[in-house]
Amino acid sequence: GFEPGQLASWWSRVGAHLLDGVVLLLVLVVGVALIVIAATASDVAGVVVGIPVGIAIVGAYIAYGGYFLARKGPRNGQTLGKQAVGIRVVRDNGQPIDIGQGILREFAVKTVLFGWIGGTFVIPPLLDFLWPLWDDSDRALHDMIVNTHVVRVEAPTGV
């Protein structure tokens, strides 16, 4: 098991979530700006730029968490937000996070299951978000589903 001092605090998880949201918001803003600039030039340019940029934005939202969590070495289990606050996701079986596990955790379970599907009922995403506050192992519901914990890292270093 994990010792309480190793587990990430709820506030560090919230901070990481907010920072990751800022990164994804920047991707969206830059993408939309490119589409608007192209569309201002002409309708054809708007379509020619809009379709691939739109696909890239959707791809970024799907792959962001999985890509960064699957980095090799000491950054494994860290999105940019988690890296900034000094926490990382670890699998309960001790294996490194791979891209499939990362996309499953960050996109399929957190975003689709709790965000989009659960969000229509309001309570599931709220419970997922608050669950670490009273769980003995500081896990959110999505951690339980995909068998992960979020822990503090010893000494954050560069990207």
Side-chain angles (χ1 to χ4, degrees):
F2 296 94
E3 299 297 319
Q6 294 175 301
L7 296 168
S9 72
W10 183 76
W11 284 109
S12 65
R13 292 174 68 125
V14 169
H17 179 76
L18 292 174
L19 290 170
D20 286 330
V22 168
V23 170
L24 288 170
L25 181 62
L26 288 173
V27 168
L28 179 64
V29 167
V30 169
V32 169
L34 289 172
I35 294 169
V36 168
I37 291 167
T40 304
S42 77
D43 290 345
V44 172
V47 171
V48 168
V49 171
I51 291 172
V53 170
I55 291 169
I57 291 169
V58 171
Y61 272 78
I62 293 169
Y64 172 80
Y67 172 78
F68 282 102
L69 288 182
R71 290 186 287 174
K72 303 288 184 224
R75 294 284 164 238
N76 185 262
Q78 291 185 310
T79 58
L80 297 177
K82 286 176 180 58
Q83 181 178 329
V85 301
I87 62 177
R88 68 189 285 252
V89 177
V90 294
R91 292 172 75 172
D92 292 349
N93 67 9
Q95 295 296 310
I97 306 261
D98 59 31
I99 192 140
Q101 178 77 13
I103 290 174
L104 174 69
R105 182 183 192 276
E106 298 295 312
F107 184 72
V109 176
K110 285 174 66 175
T111 301
V112 176
L113 180 63
F114 283 106
W116 299 347
I117 297 169
T120 60
F121 304 104
V122 180
I123 301 299
L126 189 60
L127 280 175
D128 181 50
F129 187 73
L130 296 175
W131 203 267
L133 290 171
W134 57 76
D135 183 72
D136 289 341
S137 60
D138 296 334
R139 295 195 323 166
L141 296 175
H142 64 265
D143 289 310
M144 294 176 193
I145 291 170
V146 298
N147 299 313
T148 58
H149 278 79
V150 181
V151 297
R152 296 182 322 152
V153 295
E154 295 304 314
T157 54
V159 179

